[in-house]
Amino acid sequence: MEWCVSMPKIELHAHLNGSIRDSTLMELAKELGDKGAIDFSAVEHVILKNDRALNEVFKLFDLIHILTTDHKTVTRITKEVIEDFAADNVVYLELRTTPKKNESKGMSKHSYIEAVLEGIRSVDSVDVDLFDRPSADISVNSNFEDCLCNGTGKKKIYVRLLLSIDRRETAEAAMETVELALGMRDLGVVGIDLSGNPLVGEWLTLLAALEYAKKQGLQITLHCGEVPNPDEIQAMLDFFPRRIGHACCFEDDELKLLKKLRIPVEICLTSNIRTETIASADVHHFADLYKSNHPVILCTDDTGVFSTSLSAEYALASSTFGIGKREMFELSEKAIDFIFACDRVKGELKTIFASALGKFN
Ligand code: 6MZ
């Protein structure tokens, strides 16, 4: 659907290492294969395979992480991911990534994020807004293209970072990530995400770090209910994060509580179907949440791993649930309310959407 591509969109749930281009992954695998570090032919079919159950996805991430272990590669993939989202008319991207240590490459969690920031700075085909600052720099333009280009002839994308805590991490490692996020608040980091294989790790191990992050004013989003786990779902809702991701395996009473608390849900349709956490799009809980006017945001999760784009997710929602162009536009615009960036950015995004409205009526 052409109009899904041209519509301005907001991406709030995208994992950096899950959003790498296949062509880049293949190139990196080939390089390591040539050096004898990996068996390229064994890796090639894993990268290009399309249907993966949840556990297999996390095996793929372990492989991807072997391909992206040095600073230069982290910088490269960040740059490409931002360019790809901008090309899909994503105007605001909250990109999340797990800071990694790799002593053999001289990489610390801090230098990993520095490499990500370098990737953001090196984007030159689009203007990137990375910092929360008070003054508005978009005048009220009369059309969407002018707003998108901010008068420079280049597209503009707002990018903010979330630092992810992997569920496999220790309490100390999680705390280190929170400290890192706090130290990088002036550099585009706005919050913390809890992610990783939902079948491993304990909520209680990570709780102290998350509580500390919250107390210090970082915004928090949790992967919640990607698999059935009633105790954890309850504990996560009690924690009252600013947003949650997935919410696939909620029982009726958990759903009722979620709706009462009005915690916005990041919905990743293709990811949930591919990983078989939801049987098919037509029975996805998006429909119920959307109909009951619960805050929902369509997101991609991992554009590379699931071969999708945000436009494709909008097209899938529109065709599966019979939602028209105007309503999809409203859904996209509503996401502004749930971003973690400052009010200046919210105001500027509202201007961008207002100027695009005419095309989507
Ligand atoms: C839970 C996920 C995920 O952080 O290395 N990740 N966690 N559920 C999902 N649904 C499929 N998809 C991705 O990006 C990759 C990491 O993001 C998390 C996993 O921890 C994965 O290792 P970064 O940039």
Side-chain angles (χ1 to χ4, degrees):
M1 273 183 235
E2 201 46 45
W3 58 267
C4 290
V5 179
S6 61
M7 193 166 78
K9 292 172 290 295
I10 289 184
E11 171 64 80
L12 300 186
H13 188 133
H15 298 271
L16 173 61
N17 277 272
S19 307
I20 305 170
R21 297 172 188 165
D22 273 358
S23 57
T24 298
L25 276 184
M26 292 293 279
E27 195 186 313
L28 296 171
K30 180 101 187 35
E31 266 171 37
L32 280 191
D34 289 348
K35 286 184 193 153
I38 57 163
D39 173 1
F40 176 70
S41 58
V43 165
E44 185 183 19
H45 86 271
V46 179
I47 293 173
L48 296 179
K49 192 172 169 228
N50 240 332
D51 48 333
R52 303 182 176 93
L54 197 60
N55 245 334
E56 271 187 73
V57 165
F58 291 97
K59 284 191 200 139
L60 175 63
F61 282 124
D62 288 341
L63 170 64
I64 292 175
H65 290 145
I66 293 172
L67 304 177
T68 60
T69 40
D70 60 84
H71 295 104
K72 200 171 111 245
T73 306
V74 172
T75 297
R76 172 188 173 173
I77 59 170
T78 306
K79 177 175 188 277
E80 290 180 356
V81 166
I82 292 169
E83 286 170 351
D84 291 348
F85 276 108
D88 194 31
N89 283 320
V90 168
V91 290
Y92 176 94
L93 165 65
E94 241 164 58
L95 188 62
R96 54 186 76 189
T97 193
T98 321
K100 295 167 191 76
K101 264 195 183 103
N102 185 347
E103 275 165 24
S104 69
K105 304 279 178 192
M107 183 185 279
S108 63
K109 285 191 172 191
H110 187 275
S111 71
Y112 175 90
I113 296 299
E114 283 290 350
V116 170
L117 290 169
E118 181 55 30
I120 299 175
R121 283 191 292 267
S122 66
V123 173
D124 50 15
S125 55
V126 233
D127 270 345
V128 179
D129 175 304
L130 182 62
F131 306 115
D132 280 0
R133 33 169 219 285
S135 67
D137 66 354
I138 279 192
S139 54
V140 183
N141 285 322
S142 55
N143 80 54
F144 170 46
E145 275 75 21
D146 281 354
C147 282
L148 269 184
C149 296
N150 201 22
T152 62
K154 273 189 192 173
K155 270 190 186 176
K156 175 169 179 167
I157 184 167
Y158 297 81
V159 179
R160 295 296 183 274
L161 285 178
L162 302 179
L163 304 198
S164 300
I165 294 172
D166 187 314
R167 296 175 60 100
R168 287 180 290 196
E169 289 187 280
T170 61
E172 294 71 36
M175 195 60 96
E176 192 189 340
T177 296
V178 172
E179 292 289 8
L180 182 61
L182 288 170
M184 292 186 140
R185 277 203 274 204
D186 290 345
L187 299 171
V189 175
V190 288
I192 293 285
D193 153 58
L194 175 64
S195 53
N197 188 340
L199 299 167
V200 303
E202 287 293 327
W203 166 250
L204 278 182
T205 310
L206 306 163
L207 182 58
L210 291 165
E211 271 175 344
Y212 175 63
K214 193 179 195 189
K215 221 167 157 187
Q216 295 297 313
L218 285 167
Q219 317 268 17
I220 294 171
T221 175
L222 305 172
H223 281 59
C224 177
E226 204 175 1
V227 295
N229 188 342
D231 290 346
E232 186 175 280
I233 292 170
Q234 182 66 48
M236 285 183 169
L237 293 178
D238 290 346
F239 178 80
F240 199 47
R242 279 288 306 277
R243 302 193 307 252
I244 60 169
H246 298 297
C248 303
C249 303
F250 275 42
E251 298 292 341
D252 287 349
D253 53 341
E254 293 154 359
L255 201 57
K256 221 164 136 187
L257 179 58
L258 173 73
K259 286 181 180 171
K260 188 169 152 219
L261 295 172
R262 291 197 65 74
I263 300 172
V265 182
E266 303 150 2
I267 296 281
C268 309
L269 296 171
T270 301
S271 163
N272 296 158
I273 296 158
R274 291 274 168 83
T275 56
E276 296 164 7
T277 45
I278 298 288
S280 58
D282 54 318
V283 296
H284 198 282
H285 50 290
F286 166 81
D288 170 61
L289 292 172
Y290 179 75
K291 268 192 219 123
S292 47
N293 209 19
H294 187 84
V296 281
I297 310 105
L298 287 178
C299 302
T300 54
D301 211 4
D302 300 291
T303 51
V305 169
F306 301 119
S307 310
T308 189
S309 64
L310 196 51
S311 314
E313 297 303 304
Y314 273 78
L316 179 61
S318 171
S319 61
T320 308
F321 307 108
I323 308 172
K325 201 160 135 181
R326 170 69 196 251
E327 288 72 29
M328 291 305 291
F329 181 88
E330 284 168 1
L331 179 65
S332 182
E333 183 179 25
K334 194 86 191 97
I336 298 172
D337 295 341
F338 315 121
I339 69 171
F340 289 167
C342 67
D343 287 346
R344 172 200 51 106
V345 175
K346 287 187 178 169
E348 292 178 11
L349 288 171
K350 281 185 182 150
T351 304
I352 289 172
F353 276 83
S355 69
L357 176 64
K359 278 185 164 182
F360 299 93
N361 262 322

